[in-house]
Each structure stands twice: as structure tokens, then as C-alpha cells.
Amino acid sequence: MRTSYLARAVMAALIGSAIAGTAHAEIKNYEFQLVQPTIKTGADRIVTVRLVDRTSGKAVPDAVIFASRLDMAPDGMQEMVTKVTPMPGTEPGTYRFKANFSMAGRWQLSLGAKVQGETGTVENKLVVTAEK
């Protein structure tokens, strides 16, 4: 009788750990990645990023991006800020933004997002190079 109790306890523990293991990744395992790190200068340029779960390598759809900023901080010009307009993604896990890259140089795209089912915030700063 004791063996069956032990077997059931072990089985319950294995099932519990399997469920917990597949539930969610930690928020630090998510990151935004630039699809294309270089863009032409000018108005209404589109920057595309992908939100990735680094543990699986899979794109993460349906995140809620609540903060975005584009400035020239990498070139020492934090005050050079431009408006960022969210656009619909073209595939699951991609997020697009329209902006005016008024001058050549390095632009920093700062993003803050919530991933469904996770606590905490994904925050990344990505550098886009604008060329003439």
C-alpha cells in the first residue's frame, strides 16, 4: 500500500513540475530585436522589431507596448527626439513604428512592453543607424 502512495506522490510532483515548467518564462528572458538595424534618413520611415523569448527563440505576439521613444542619445544628443507612431505588425511577434529620421546618425529606440501572462516589464534600448 505504501508503494502506491509513494508512486502517486512522485507522479503528482512530476506533473506539477511539468505544468510549472511550461507555464511562463521569466520577464528577463524576453527581448526586442531590430529586424533591420539600418534605415534611410527621411520622414515616415518604418522600423520593425521582433519580441523574442530567448529561452525558446520564438517570437512573442500580442505584447502591449506602452512606452516608446526615439532619440539620438547614442550620438550624445538626447534632446533630439522624434515622434514614434505604432503601426500594425506584418507577422505575429513583430511590432512596427513610423518615425521621422531627420538626420543621419545613431538613433535609440526605447521600448517598454507587457507580455500577456507575465509580471514585470520588458524594457529594451535598440540602436538604429540612419544613413543618407
Side-chain angles (χ1 to χ4, degrees):
M1 190 74 166
R2 181 179 170 118
T3 309
S4 65
Y5 172 76
L6 184 57
R8 283 186 295 197
V10 168
M11 184 61 78
L14 288 172
I15 291 170
S17 66
I19 290 170
T22 58
H24 299 290
E26 291 187 42
I27 200 72
K28 67 181 181 179
N29 291 331
Y30 295 97
E31 73 176 356
F32 283 102
Q33 300 172 345
L34 286 169
V35 171
Q36 204 169 359
T38 305
I39 197 162
K40 293 284 185 193
T41 57
D44 295 336
R45 300 295 186 211
I46 303 293
V47 176
T48 304
V49 298
R50 183 178 297 113
L51 180 59
V52 176
D53 178 348
R54 292 186 292 188
T55 58
S56 67
K58 294 182 180 179
V60 180
D62 304 323
V64 177
I65 298 176
F66 63 87
S68 58
R69 177 183 164 96
L70 187 62
D71 61 43
M72 291 195 77
D75 284 346
M77 294 183 278
Q78 297 85 334
E79 67 282 352
M80 181 70 138
V81 179
T82 191
K83 182 180 174 186
V84 180
T85 305
M87 305 292 290
T90 55
E91 57 188 69
T94 63
Y95 304 86
R96 297 170 13 135
F97 304 92
K98 180 170 59 172
N100 179 9
F101 289 85
S102 57
M103 64 185 290
R106 295 177 299 159
W107 292 80
Q108 180 172 274
L109 177 61
S110 302
L111 298 171
K114 295 287 187 182
V115 175
Q116 292 187 21
E118 298 292 347
T119 56
T121 301
V122 178
E123 295 180 13
N124 286 127
K125 295 178 187 289
L126 307 169
V127 177
V128 179
T129 302
E131 298 176 340
K132 290 186 180 195

